[in-house]
Amino acid sequence: YNLSSVGKALPLWVHDKKSRAGKARAKLRPADAAGEHVEVIQDLFFPTMCGKAKLSSDGETLLTTGGYPPQLRAFELRELSLKFERHFNAEVVDFQVLSADWKKAVYLLADRSVEFHTQFGKHHTTRIPVHGRCLGYQPETTELLLAGAGPEVYRLSLERGAFLQPLDSGAAGVNAIGVDPTHGMVVLGTADGTVQCWDPRQRSLLGAASPFAAID
């Protein structure tokens, strides 16, 4: 991309597409011209790598984590520019936005720390017994779900401010956590290659599937 050009600067594949389309019709319709619109977010880069990128529920802010050093960068999409950045003492493994905007979020770090942040900065820090790999949030019960190198899925009640009895997946580890936004069912992707579905109301296993069993 040529960002220093005064005129319209588009990638080569856009020009090629326009040339091919020009053979079929002499003039582009206004609806087709919208496909050539490219917007670039300023300062959207990290010195070494980008780990995670998530969009706030209101669609106004893009939150990204990466390194090195470990850091968070938030971008305001209306202005296509950097809103703020924060740094951490350890790499961010995963994070979850807790509010509709960017003002409340939680970050799972590589040193087993769990940091809660508000618009003013770091608010609280706790730890889990194992190295974490993923986290999820269940708004119906206001529970934060954390898992990693072990069978347990730790449940942190944000209403009570205390850990509750964990879910036991029985697997060697849990690599991914998903919460269905419709009915709140918890889905776990385990290190054993299985997908487990849990009922958060009864905290019981509904069923499990082995999607890679057919490959073997």
Side-chain angles (χ1 to χ4, degrees):
Y1 298 92
N2 182 9
L3 302 181
S4 61
S5 175
V6 178
K8 180 185 294 185
L10 296 174
L12 294 177
W13 60 267
V14 174
H15 289 294
D16 294 339
K17 181 179 179 182
K18 181 177 180 181
S19 299
R20 291 193 300 267
K23 296 178 181 180
R25 57 184 183 274
K27 186 177 181 180
L28 286 173
R29 297 190 301 270
D32 296 328
E36 299 184 3
H37 185 62
V38 177
E39 294 181 334
V40 179
I41 301 178
Q42 302 177 36
D43 300 321
L44 181 51
F45 74 93
F46 288 91
T48 307
M49 60 86 183
C50 177
K52 295 282 185 177
K54 294 186 179 183
L55 186 67
S56 61
S57 299
D58 59 7
E60 296 290 335
T61 308
L62 176 67
L63 299 172
T64 60
T65 60
Y68 182 83
Q71 58 189 281
L72 160 75
R73 291 189 174 186
F75 299 89
E76 188 172 0
L77 298 183
R78 287 182 299 178
E79 301 295 334
L80 297 177
S81 61
L82 180 66
K83 188 178 185 68
F84 67 90
E85 61 180 326
R86 296 174 183 172
H87 291 260
F88 301 90
N89 294 327
E91 179 184 349
V92 178
V93 177
D94 199 0
F95 72 95
Q96 179 70 45
V97 182
L98 302 178
S99 59
D101 52 18
W102 59 269
K103 297 180 180 179
K104 294 181 181 179
V106 57
Y107 301 88
L108 175 63
L109 306 185
D111 62 353
R112 299 189 290 115
S113 298
V114 181
E115 292 190 1
F116 294 86
H117 284 232
T118 66
Q119 58 181 324
F120 305 108
K122 183 168 65 175
H123 175 71
H124 180 71
T125 302
T126 186
R127 296 174 70 88
I128 57 176
V130 300
H131 289 281
R133 298 176 183 174
C134 55
L135 58 79
Y137 177 62
Q138 195 165 45
E140 294 83 5
T141 59
T142 64
E143 290 182 8
L144 183 66
L145 307 175
L146 307 112
E152 295 86 3
V153 177
Y154 299 97
R155 301 165 52 226
L156 177 57
S157 173
L158 303 186
E159 181 180 6
R160 303 181 186 179
F163 281 96
L164 307 178
Q165 183 178 359
L167 304 178
D168 188 359
S169 67
V174 178
N175 297 333
I177 298 177
V179 179
D180 189 278
T182 304
H183 47 66
M185 183 176 63
V186 178
V187 181
L188 308 178
T190 71
D192 298 341
T194 61
V195 178
Q196 299 182 1
C197 298
W198 288 75
D199 185 351
R201 299 168 299 180
Q202 303 296 329
R203 297 180 296 278
S204 59
L205 179 63
L206 296 175
S210 301
F212 301 104
I215 299 178
D216 299 335

